[in-house]
Amino acid sequence: MSRPTTVADIREAFLGFFEAKEHLRLPSDSLIPSNDPTLLFTGAGMNQFKEEFLGRGRDWSRVTTSQKCLRVPDLENVGLTPRHHTFFEMLGNFSFGDYFKAETIPWEWHFFTEILGWDADRFVVTVFTDDDEAFQIWREKIGLPKERIYRFGEKENFWPSSAPSKGPNGPCGPCSEIYYDMEPGKPLPANEGLEDLPGRFLEVGNFVFTQYERHDGGVLEPLPQRNIDVGLGLERVAAVAQGARNNFETDLFAPLLSTISDLAGKPYLGAKASNDEEEKIDIRMRRIADHARAVFFCIADGAMPGREGRGYVVRKILRRAVRDGLDLGIQKPFLASLLPSLRETMGAAYPELTQQGSTIEALSNAEEERFRDVYHRGITRLEEEMKTLHASGAKTLSGDTAFALHDTYGFPLDTAEVILEEHGFAVDHSGFHAAMEAQKSRARAGSELSGDVFAQSLGSLLREQGLVETAFLGAEQGQSDSKVLAILDAAQSGSNALQQEGSAGQERLIVLDQTPFYAEGGGQVGDAGQLLHDGQVIATVLDTQKEEDYHLHRVRLEGPIKTGQGLLAQIDVAKRRATEAHHSATHLLHAAMKQVVGEHVNQAGSKVSSEGLRFDYTHPEGLSHETLAQLEDLVLHQALLAQDVAASLSSLDQARASGVTALFGEKYGDVVRVVRMGGFSAELCGGCHVRNTGQIGPFRILSDRALAAGVRRIEAVAGQAAAAQSRADQELLHTAGQELKCPPQQVPERVLALKGQIKKLKDAQKQMLKSGGGASLSELLSQLTPSGQLQWSAPQGQSADILRGMSDEMKQLRQKDGAAVPPAVLLCGGSGEPGSELPFLFQCDPKAGWKAGDLARAFGKLLGGGGGGRPDFAQGKASMPQGGLQGLEKAIEGFASELTSPA
């Protein structure tokens, strides 16, 4: 009987085993917890069964799953250690008031020793100090020698850890962990005085026995419903089953590491790594493989890279992977290209990797491109900091600044240190690590899962101050009497960001008790406007964002302001109305896309502002001009019907049952807002809209372009912006008509006629060359000037077409008599005026080892242009050097002097 060893086989073997034990097999829950708003991500198999563990919820008694999980407290260790991951799978079996220890322990033992076929003599287990029941089962029912059963305290073998003495109150219980000995030849450690097991023992399973309710004072009262929560880390189990030295060297990661190695042009060496540099390369590759999995699964479940909460976590993970790619020398965006490799091993179990593939690729690629820009800006910031250090005479970059480079720009400390040392500066390591630890402490206070990833959010800071959430009034009114609750300096962190007052010229974030300003969300930009006091403008609102349920008004202060102050908040009504028109037009466009292009079209992102709208959608190919015109006409038709736009609240289930469109990546509560436009469009949306579709006005599609494989972007305008675009188009056509000396309606015909004339002139020019109207080939060869191994000529006034004609004749002669033409020839044309366009080409004999394409690229780059082509022929364009022909001759001589003989 063959034993399961691949990840897919192990997963199926576990789930099938417990199905046979009358467990209900359920699919993995989303990485975004479905019923626990206190969690950023699903971090354990039991998360989705919170109600069942409390004796409520669905009528299930036995369940088994393979759960997608994400944990990030140990983010810094990923790639460095054999077992740490961000994303992982947890095999689990659960009992809700049904079986307990006497069944669980033998079942898990049978799975490891009989189903997987592992050596029973290599297992050791741990139990809680006072859990005699579990000890007896391991000793008597399983037959494990007592020296292989270790008793540990509440810190190691109780859930939650240390619950009896430290809390929290609530359901809890002892746990038993099962370990596999990776160094079986060594003696077992003695039980006495041991607080945890040495690293040679690999934890492969954890059995939590929820049997108590903790009360104040550490009182443990037996629960009427005792539960079982078993978790087996699939990656760890696979590593043992496959005899791999770490989780990354299993079949699960092999395709990813192979692709990363190909992209980097460096091998993944694993156990063959023989020095620190090779090990660093391996670490970076392992980290990319792990982080790519995490990012792809997060996006597939709707957790997209963003600025806060789980979006910030996803962005942080993605940027770490890209930074490792940069360190490996991968110069172009690469992360999205790893998705097919992940599908090889996980696509069958998780079809969302295929179903959302185009969206995953588009968002990963876009975020990577943005980060590459940010990273390069980080280098610029570091250069500015070094200038400041030099001017002040200081020699050490502060730890806070180094941490800001690391946290904001993803700029590694070691990279910053190398650059600083090259310029005679050092970095304050202790200050950097203190800032890092301060961030971790703030973050852990808000969420255990996010402790190592992001600093305390402003929303969390405001909530700590006891501030009430901002009441949004802007759906019905454009101004409100409001009170200043908080003034924030975004450049500061933690409580230092809180300010009691502000003065003219400063940029600050203002929190009001109530506001008409819409905070950016759902693709709609935040409102702009003014804050007034006693009829005077004291702040210009540049933008409005949201942190949790607080509206943050980003303002430029025009006068003094202080907390507690009353003022009039007033939006820019014209901008809001234009934004509303574009938002409503986006809904109509989405509905039109499904009707015209197909029901498979899904919105993959959007942005609506007063200037226009951007609509990202899933579709494998570009839309024809006719299809775009059809979409434009349909949206305009719906607008002209002037139907009422109605918003209503509904339960999520009712909304979905009625066919309302729910957008990818959006998470909805039990009660949702449905926006309907006649019978044409119905979407879940919390944004601002026109009252009647007639207020949208005219509609124009400006462009349709590809973002990534299967994802495209339409840009369009509505209302006044569409009218302005039509006027601009008319003016352009009028100007073209004036230049072409014809009425605007005849411009296309006139352009076609001119194209025909140009073609005739080019043909005549080529014929003139062939008939001797230009320099003859013999004359050209006699005029070649030697510079090193290069022969060159710069006949004045010759176009690129003439040069190509000369090259063709030269090639034909070379084929007849190779000795008649030098092996490497450079021809330059143009007027000879400094700064003018310089067409050039290389005609080479590949048999002599020359490569024209390489020469053209190098020569073009030398003169501020570019070039390329085949080994025998290549061309390019550059700029004529200062000094005209003399400058060109000097440049060619310098270029030729650097050439070495071809091999």
Side-chain angles (χ1 to χ4, degrees):
M1 171 181 167
S2 62
R3 305 292 188 182
T5 55
T6 68
V7 167
D9 288 347
I10 293 170
R11 184 192 298 115
E12 181 55 36
F14 181 88
L15 297 175
F17 175 77
F18 281 97
E19 270 191 310
K21 301 292 183 186
E22 300 180 332
H23 286 62
L24 174 65
R25 183 196 294 213
L26 291 177
S28 171
D29 195 18
S30 168
L31 281 173
I32 301 175
S34 57
N35 62 352
D36 193 341
T38 66
L39 295 176
L40 278 178
F41 293 100
T42 299
M46 58 79 63
N47 289 158
Q48 66 170 310
F49 305 117
K50 184 176 180 179
E51 293 298 303
E52 285 72 29
F53 276 114
L54 294 173
R56 303 190 294 264
R58 296 152 293 194
D59 187 21
W60 295 334
S61 59
R62 299 183 180 189
V63 170
T64 184
T65 65
S66 182
Q67 175 62 49
K68 299 176 292 187
C69 299
L70 191 84
R71 296 181 187 173
V72 291
D74 295 314
L75 187 64
E76 300 294 333
N77 291 326
V78 174
L80 293 172
T81 71
R83 315 296 175 197
H84 279 101
H85 297 288
T86 51
F87 174 90
F88 61 95
E89 283 185 82
M90 186 69 76
L91 301 174
N93 58 280
F94 309 93
S95 168
F96 312 120
D98 189 353
Y99 61 84
F100 204 50
K101 299 176 189 178
E103 294 83 9
T104 300
I105 292 174
W107 286 346
E108 312 303 334
W109 179 257
H110 182 87
F111 176 73
F112 280 117
T113 58
E114 300 298 326
I115 303 300
L116 297 183
W118 293 4
D119 184 356
D121 293 334
R122 291 179 64 174
F123 284 101
V124 300
V125 300
T126 65
V127 297
F128 178 54
T129 303
D130 299 334
D131 193 354
D132 294 333
E133 180 184 4
F135 183 93
Q136 289 302 116
I137 294 171
W138 282 116
R139 180 71 189 91
E140 298 177 4
K141 200 165 186 177
I142 302 302
L144 208 61
K146 63 180 181 180
E147 61 268 19
R148 289 186 171 273
I149 307 172
Y150 294 84
R151 290 180 182 264
F152 290 142
E154 63 177 32
K155 181 180 179 182
E156 295 296 327
N157 276 79
F158 210 91
W159 182 88
S161 178
S162 302
S165 62
K166 298 181 180 179
N169 289 341
C172 60
C175 62
S176 179
E177 296 173 329
I178 185 166
Y179 292 80
Y180 200 66
D181 190 351
M182 306 305 288
E183 300 175 12
K186 293 183 178 181
L188 292 173
N191 209 323
E192 293 75 15
L194 199 65
E195 295 185 356
D196 56 25
L197 290 176
R200 66 184 257 204
F201 297 100
L202 175 65
E203 180 193 337
V204 290
N206 184 16
F207 320 148
V208 178
F209 312 123
T210 311
Q211 62 187 96
Y212 299 114
E213 176 86 16
R214 185 193 188 276
H215 299 287
D216 289 343
V219 176
L220 300 180
E221 178 185 350
L223 284 170
Q225 173 181 302
R226 300 187 302 179
N227 306 310
I228 290 293
D229 167 17
V230 172
L232 278 61
L234 178 57
E235 291 80 3
R236 292 187 176 203
V237 173
V240 174
Q242 296 174 29
R245 70 183 190 123
N246 66 50
N247 296 359
F248 293 95
E249 291 167 15
T250 63
D251 70 307
L252 182 61
F253 287 96
L256 281 168
L257 289 172
S258 176
T259 302
I260 295 166
S261 178
D262 290 342
L263 289 168
K266 300 177 177 69
Y268 177 81
L269 295 174
K272 296 179 181 178
S274 60
N275 55 56
D276 288 346
E277 186 56 36
E278 290 177 346
E279 179 59 24
K280 285 181 180 178
I281 291 172
D282 280 3
I283 289 170
R284 292 186 177 106
M285 290 185 179
R286 289 195 291 265
R287 198 153 47 208
I288 291 172
D290 171 273
H291 290 2
R293 282 208 316 164
V295 169
F296 295 160
F297 271 104
C298 283
I299 294 176
D301 282 350
M304 296 176 285
R307 289 177 295 186
E308 59 184 18
R310 61 176 60 94
Y312 185 83
V313 176
V314 178
R315 171 174 285 176
K316 194 88 167 181
I317 295 171
L318 184 148
R319 289 184 169 188
R320 285 170 59 86
V322 175
R323 195 179 73 194
D324 280 320
L326 288 165
D327 288 341
L328 288 173
I330 304 175
Q331 297 302 317
K332 295 181 179 179
F334 71 95
L335 203 62
S337 66
L338 301 180
L339 182 58
S341 300
L342 181 60
R343 286 199 196 110
E344 284 186 37
T345 54
M346 303 193 73
Y350 297 101
E352 60 266 34
L353 291 174
T354 300
Q355 295 166 356
Q356 302 295 345
S358 57
T359 303
I360 294 170
E361 289 174 339
L363 294 176
S364 298
N365 194 58
E367 185 65 29
E368 179 171 357
E369 288 179 343
R370 278 194 292 269
F371 173 62
R372 285 175 177 265
D373 291 339
V374 169
Y375 186 83
H376 293 310
R377 288 202 299 272
I379 293 177
T380 302
R381 167 76 184 274
L382 181 58
E383 290 173 345
E384 292 172 353
E385 293 295 337
M386 288 191 294
K387 289 179 182 177
T388 302
L389 290 173
H390 180 75
S392 65
K395 290 294 183 182
T396 303
L397 184 72
S398 73
D400 287 340
T401 301
F403 179 72
L405 284 166
H406 163 82
D407 192 53
T408 303
Y409 298 101
F411 210 74
L413 177 64
D414 54 359
T415 303
E417 190 171 22
V418 169
I419 296 173
L420 287 164
E421 287 178 354
E422 289 175 351
H423 292 81
F425 299 110
V427 64
D428 175 12
H429 282 266
S430 60
F432 173 87
H433 293 298
M436 174 74 82
E437 286 304 314
Q439 184 204 49
K440 291 179 181 180
S441 298
R442 289 192 301 269
R444 283 197 177 103
S447 168
E448 179 185 346
L449 288 181
S450 55
D452 275 353
V453 179
F454 55 91
Q456 181 184 35
S457 70
L458 290 177
S460 173
L461 174 65
L462 295 170
R463 198 171 298 284
E464 284 182 1
Q465 306 304 309
L467 300 184
V468 297
E469 299 166 351
T470 308
F472 175 60
L473 309 177
E476 303 297 333
Q477 60 195 65
Q479 64 181 36
S480 69
D481 292 318
S482 305
K483 184 171 78 171
V484 178
L485 297 183
I487 302 169
L488 297 162
D489 180 358
Q492 303 294 322
S493 60
S495 59
N496 292 331
L498 292 167
Q499 310 285 306
Q500 290 300 310
E501 57 187 24
S503 55
Q506 294 177 332
E507 276 204 14
R508 291 291 185 263
L509 298 175
I510 304 295
V511 181
L512 305 175
D513 62 338
Q514 57 184 17
T515 182
F517 288 82
Y518 180 83
E520 181 175 337
Q524 180 178 329
V525 301
D527 277 330
Q530 298 175 328
L531 304 180
L532 299 94
H533 181 67
D534 291 337
Q536 299 295 314
V537 176
I538 60 171
T540 299
V541 179
L542 306 173
D543 185 24
T544 310
Q545 298 290 321
K546 198 171 186 179
E547 283 274 355
E548 298 184 15
D549 290 314
Y550 297 99
H551 286 227
L552 304 180
H553 306 78
R554 184 169 66 86
V555 305
R556 181 181 65 247
L557 295 177
E558 313 293 347
I561 193 171
K562 59 183 179 181
T563 56
Q565 181 175 342
L567 47 76
L568 179 66
Q570 196 173 74
I571 66 170
D572 186 323
V573 175
K575 281 190 172 182
R576 165 72 81 79
R577 296 293 174 259
T579 301
E580 290 172 345
H582 285 126
H583 199 160
S584 298
T586 302
H587 281 221
L588 293 181
L589 176 61
H590 192 184
M593 292 282 289
K594 287 185 174 291
Q595 187 176 122
V596 174
V597 183
E599 285 293 331
H600 67 279
V601 171
N602 286 311
Q603 182 174 328
S606 69
K607 180 180 180 181
V608 293
S609 68
S610 59
E611 286 79 24
L613 69 89
R614 188 181 73 201
F615 180 83
D616 300 341
Y617 65 98
T618 56
H619 189 60
E621 58 189 7
L623 303 182
S624 67
H625 175 75
E626 291 75 18
T627 300
L628 291 172
Q630 191 177 354
L631 289 170
E632 195 174 88
D633 289 343
L634 185 52
V635 172
L636 181 59
H637 173 72
Q638 290 296 322
L640 293 176
L641 288 177
Q643 300 182 92
D644 287 340
V645 176
S648 62
L649 298 180
S650 166
S651 72
L652 180 59
D653 290 340
Q654 287 176 334
R656 284 177 167 159
S658 66
V660 173
T661 300
L663 303 185
F664 166 79
E666 292 291 331
K667 294 296 289 184
Y668 301 101
D670 293 334
V671 178
V672 294
R673 182 172 182 259
V674 181
V675 176
R676 299 181 186 274
M677 300 181 186
F680 187 73
S681 169
E683 285 192 19
L684 302 184
C685 181
C688 304
H689 290 273
V690 298
R691 277 58 175 172
N692 183 288
T693 59
Q695 295 173 334
I696 293 174
F699 176 76
R700 293 282 307 278
I701 293 178
L702 304 180
S703 65
D704 172 50
R705 63 185 179 88
L707 282 185
V711 179
R712 301 188 63 79
R713 170 173 293 170
I714 283 179
E715 294 186 359
V717 286
Q720 290 292 336
Q725 183 63 46
S726 295
R727 285 195 299 272
D729 292 346
Q730 289 174 338
E731 185 61 31
L732 183 64
L733 194 60
H734 176 73
T735 302
Q738 285 183 320
E739 292 295 324
L740 295 171
K741 308 273 192 247
C742 68
Q745 61 270 27
Q746 293 181 8
V747 166
E749 181 182 345
R750 181 65 175 143
V751 169
L752 289 174
L754 286 173
K755 286 179 66 178
Q757 293 176 25
I758 292 170
K759 184 178 184 304
K760 289 180 180 179
L761 289 172
K762 286 184 175 181
D763 291 342
Q765 188 181 47
K766 291 179 181 178
Q767 188 60 39
M768 179 181 69
L769 178 63
K770 291 181 179 179
S771 62
S776 69
L777 180 59
S778 59
E779 291 175 345
L780 178 64
L781 292 174
S782 67
Q783 294 171 4
L784 289 175
T785 301
S787 287
Q789 301 178 74
L790 186 66
Q791 301 274 338
W792 67 277
S793 180
Q796 289 191 24
Q798 304 300 332
S799 67
D801 286 336
I802 295 293
L803 294 180
R804 281 192 291 271
M806 295 177 178
S807 175
D808 289 342
E809 287 194 60
M810 201 178 299
K811 180 179 178 180
Q812 293 173 9
L813 179 58
R814 191 192 300 279
Q815 291 172 345
K816 294 177 182 178
D817 182 5
V821 182
V825 176
L826 166 64
L827 300 181
C828 299
S831 67
E833 293 294 324
S836 64
E837 185 177 276
L838 175 69
F840 66 86
L841 63 80
F842 283 86
Q843 172 61 242
C844 295
D845 183 2
K847 294 178 181 178
W850 292 102
K851 294 182 179 179
D854 292 346
L855 294 175
R857 277 188 288 272
F859 186 69
K861 184 177 181 180
L862 175 68
L863 296 181
R870 305 187 306 268
D872 64 325
F873 169 79
Q875 59 186 333
K877 289 182 181 179
S879 297
M880 181 66 74
Q882 296 300 314
L885 291 176
Q886 289 183 346
L888 177 62
E889 180 177 358
K890 185 176 180 180
I892 292 174
E893 288 177 350
F895 175 76
S897 68
E898 297 294 326
L899 296 179
T900 58
S901 298

